[in-house]
Amino acid sequence: MSYIDEGENEFIEVEDSSKTDTIFLQLTHFPTANEEHICTAGFLQASRGIVILIDLFGTFGTPIKKDVQGNIDKLTTVYNQNVPRHANLIHMLKSELPRGGMATESLMWLRRGLHFFCEFFELLRHDFENSKVKDDLKEYIRKAYDVHLRRHHNWFIQQTFKGLCTLAPKHHTLIKELALG
């Protein structure tokens, strides 16, 4: 038997610690980074975990998952061309300077996608903490999209994304998926 602090010293009893598992506990964390070093292998592994997370969004996540996975695959291709030289993600990107290249563009889009999902979960967390969570997640998705992706997409992609939002899961469905049932 264990207890989880729910804030203000309110505790809930948890019989089995496996019941508190979430998808987040199963994902690889991103490696510690600084301005001179980011472990490429660790970054790619953690990014693959995001693909697993996106899969939990159901039909809404399918095209996003494909896009994110494509960017991870391109980065992996460049990484595998010279693993010792590309072990540091910063060095891999610098090797493409000044012309840019597949790794630079893929990382740019992957980063935008990661920021989109981070923003989505931050918005959800904020409303949860203020007891204002809505079951319809479209508003959270659209806000995150507006902040991190809209300006990088042409009109057609913006309209496609708008239509895709109609396939967003409901809050209770996503939470059940994140909590592994």
Side-chain angles (χ1 to χ4, degrees), residues 22-59:
T22 68
I23 190 67
F24 298 106
L25 296 175
Q26 296 183 359
L27 301 177
T28 302
H29 293 153
F30 283 90
T32 303
N34 61 47
E35 292 179 13
E36 296 182 24
H37 183 78
I38 300 171
C39 174
T40 305
F43 180 83
L44 291 170
Q45 184 62 33
S47 295
R48 288 183 194 100
I50 299 302
V51 173
I52 294 167
L53 180 65
I54 295 169
D55 213 20
L56 300 179
F57 282 77
T59 306

Side-chain angles (χ1 to χ4, degrees), residues 96-139:
E96 292 188 340
L97 290 175
R99 67 198 181 324
M102 185 164 62
T104 303
E105 185 169 336
S106 297
L107 182 61
M108 178 180 64
W109 281 105
L110 178 57
R111 181 184 167 278
R112 290 171 181 163
L114 294 174
H115 280 263
F116 163 77
F117 277 100
C118 185
E119 181 78 19
F120 167 80
F121 283 111
E122 283 294 319
L123 291 167
L124 200 60
R125 181 191 59 79
H126 179 268
D127 276 5
F128 174 78
E129 288 175 350
N130 293 298
S131 301
K132 296 180 180 180
V133 175
K134 300 163 189 74
D135 197 41
D136 187 354
L137 297 177
K138 287 187 274 261
E139 181 180 331

Side-chain angles (χ1 to χ4, degrees), residues 13-103:
E13 188 175 338
V14 180
E15 290 186 30
D16 181 354
S17 64
S18 68
K19 291 182 181 178
T20 60
D21 281 350
T22 68
I23 190 67
F24 298 106
L25 296 175
Q26 296 183 359
L27 301 177
T28 302
H29 293 153
F30 283 90
T32 303
N34 61 47
E35 292 179 13
E36 296 182 24
H37 183 78
I38 300 171
C39 174
T40 305
F43 180 83
L44 291 170
Q45 184 62 33
S47 295
R48 288 183 194 100
I50 299 302
V51 173
I52 294 167
L53 180 65
I54 295 169
D55 213 20
L56 300 179
F57 282 77
T59 306
F60 166 78
T62 302
I64 298 167
K65 175 185 166 184
K66 183 180 177 188
D67 186 53
V68 169
Q69 185 63 59
N71 287 313
I72 293 167
D73 292 346
K74 290 174 188 173
L75 280 168
T76 302
T77 297
V78 175
Y79 170 68
N80 287 333
Q81 289 172 354
N82 190 338
V83 174
R85 184 174 175 208
H86 296 150
N88 178 352
L89 187 59
I90 303 297
H91 291 160
M92 185 167 74
L93 297 174
K94 285 183 177 180
S95 73
E96 292 188 340
L97 290 175
R99 67 198 181 324
M102 185 164 62

